[in-house]
Amino acid sequence: MNDRNLLQRAIKIAEEGIIDGNGPFGAVITRGGKIIAEAVNKVVLSVDPTAHAEILAIRRASEVMKTHNLADCVIYASCEPCPMCLGAIYWSGIRKVVYASDRNEAAASGFSDSQIYNEIALDPAKRKIMFIRHNDAGGEEVFRKWDKFENRIPY
Amino acid sequence: MNDRNLLQRAIKIAEEGIIDGNGPFGAVITRGGKIIAEAVNKVVLSVDPTAHAEILAIRRASEVMKTHNLADCVIYASCEPCPMCLGAIYWSGIRKVVYASDRNEAAASGFSDSQIYNEIALDPAKRKIMFIRHNDAGGEEVFRKWDKFENRIPY
């Protein structure tokens, strides 16, 4: 299957999932052109705000591949990944994203993707959410302990 | 417990978790000043690139509260949330974040938080990851079906 077919698979599961109570988003992850994981948005059904299609597909792909590093995988998403999912894609090591709709189309159907992109770009002090930093609370000690820990596994 | 005590709890679990193989990050979520969830970074141990402290704490808090909307909760994080976790915080409805270290301190210990913040702000076409959009693949049909679906539960 080519990129377009795989993207259409992500779109198809998103469309079909709506009637079951899922959010209107689907994602498919491939390795070597073969589907290894797919998922739809389960936020409401799973009572989990992190249960976006891409997050669930990445978690499944990691389970299948037995590694948190999906560097040789491609993700196909019915809509442009939101900042949470984009962050997850970077952490997973995935290097190619194919998508159909974008953040503005998601916004037109009531989803906050675009707003969250705008917020993330702001200085923490200027966001709508209150951000308070205590830079003298001992946070840096955690990293000093990590740096000295011989058995640490960096990622 | 006040903000500082709760933040120090997040720092303490992060520090203590290192020796067990967890990543050096901790998060605590409260409601009405009472801890309802806490977690450390389990990326390596859980073989899950999304298993950051904040994501796991949000998932647990949602489970405890039986809702994906944590609008009356506060999150305390040993380090500034990465873009993935920040996205999750917005989706969860949390309106206050208290943190200690920041993205630059995380970078100094080998974590990509700061790089990912920089990437997210770029136009998809200019990022290090390849982004390909097929805006004629039928993606908008998913939202049209969603808009027409009478039993949809927006979030």
Side-chain angles (χ1 to χ4, degrees):
Chain A
M1 289 204 280
N2 63 22
D3 272 0
R4 199 171 174 88
N5 298 144
L6 289 160
L7 179 58
Q8 280 168 336
R9 170 76 194 154
I11 292 168
K12 187 173 177 239
I13 60 173
E15 265 195 77
E16 290 178 353
I18 291 171
I19 200 164
D20 299 322
N22 301 299
F25 301 92
V28 167
I29 295 179
T30 63
R31 183 169 179 267
K34 205 178 146 190
I35 296 175
I36 57 164
E38 53 183 39
V40 294
N41 178 302
K42 294 267 178 200
V43 168
V44 173
L45 288 185
S46 302
V47 193
D48 175 1
T50 75
H52 284 201
E54 299 93 323
I55 295 278
L56 297 179
I58 287 171
R59 293 179 65 205
R60 278 179 204 164
S62 298
E63 212 178 312
V64 169
M65 303 289 296
K66 298 181 175 44
T67 170
H68 60 78
N69 189 333
L70 305 176
D72 48 2
C73 296
V74 179
I75 191 162
Y76 299 85
S78 64
C79 184
E80 181 184 7
C82 81
M84 173 177 73
C85 294
L86 190 57
I89 289 167
Y90 277 94
W91 288 116
S92 76
I94 288 175
R95 285 191 291 245
K96 181 175 167 185
V97 181
V98 183
Y99 65 102
S101 306
D102 73 0
R103 63 185 85 172
N104 300 315
E105 290 173 285
S109 283
F111 295 94
S112 318
D113 305 54
S114 183
Q115 273 174 266
I116 299 176
Y117 268 107
N118 295 341
E119 285 280 299
I120 279 191
L122 298 175
D123 183 90
K126 293 184 178 165
R127 295 184 186 135
K128 281 177 193 147
I129 289 181
M130 189 190 297
F131 277 77
I132 303 171
R133 184 175 179 201
H134 291 253
N135 63 4
D136 59 350
E140 70 285 3
E141 291 308 314
V142 185
F143 289 124
R144 292 302 76 75
K145 191 165 177 182
W146 171 256
D147 295 339
K148 283 181 202 153
F149 180 57
E150 290 187 5
N151 296 322
R152 71 180 181 280
I153 304 175
Y155 63 85
Chain B
M1 288 204 282
N2 63 22
D3 273 359
R4 199 169 173 91
N5 298 144
L6 289 159
L7 180 58
Q8 282 170 335
R9 170 76 193 156
I11 292 169
K12 187 172 176 241
I13 61 173
E15 266 195 76
E16 291 178 350
I18 291 173
I19 199 164
D20 299 322
N22 301 299
F25 301 91
V28 167
I29 296 178
T30 63
R31 183 168 180 270
K34 205 180 146 187
I35 296 176
I36 57 165
E38 53 182 39
V40 293
N41 178 302
K42 293 269 177 200
V43 168
V44 173
L45 289 185
S46 302
V47 195
D48 176 1
T50 74
H52 284 201
E54 299 92 324
I55 296 277
L56 296 179
I58 287 170
R59 295 178 64 205
R60 278 178 206 164
S62 298
E63 212 178 311
V64 170
M65 303 288 298
K66 296 183 175 46
T67 169
H68 60 78
N69 188 335
L70 304 175
D72 47 3
C73 297
V74 179
I75 191 164
Y76 299 85
S78 64
C79 184
E80 182 184 7
C82 81
M84 172 177 74
C85 295
L86 190 58
I89 288 167
Y90 277 94
W91 287 117
S92 75
I94 287 174
R95 284 191 293 245
K96 181 176 167 185
V97 181
V98 183
Y99 65 102
S101 306
D102 73 359
R103 62 184 86 171
N104 300 315
E105 291 174 283
S109 284
F111 294 94
S112 317
D113 305 53
S114 183
Q115 274 173 265
I116 300 176
Y117 268 106
N118 294 342
E119 284 281 298
I120 279 190
L122 298 175
D123 184 89
K126 292 184 179 165
R127 295 185 185 135
K128 282 178 192 144
I129 289 180
M130 188 190 296
F131 277 78
I132 303 171
R133 185 175 180 201
H134 291 253
N135 62 4
D136 60 348
E140 70 284 4
E141 290 309 313
V142 185
F143 291 123
R144 292 302 77 73
K145 191 164 175 181
W146 172 257
D147 295 339
K148 282 180 203 154
F149 181 57
E150 290 187 5
N151 295 322
R152 73 181 178 280
I153 305 173
Y155 63 85

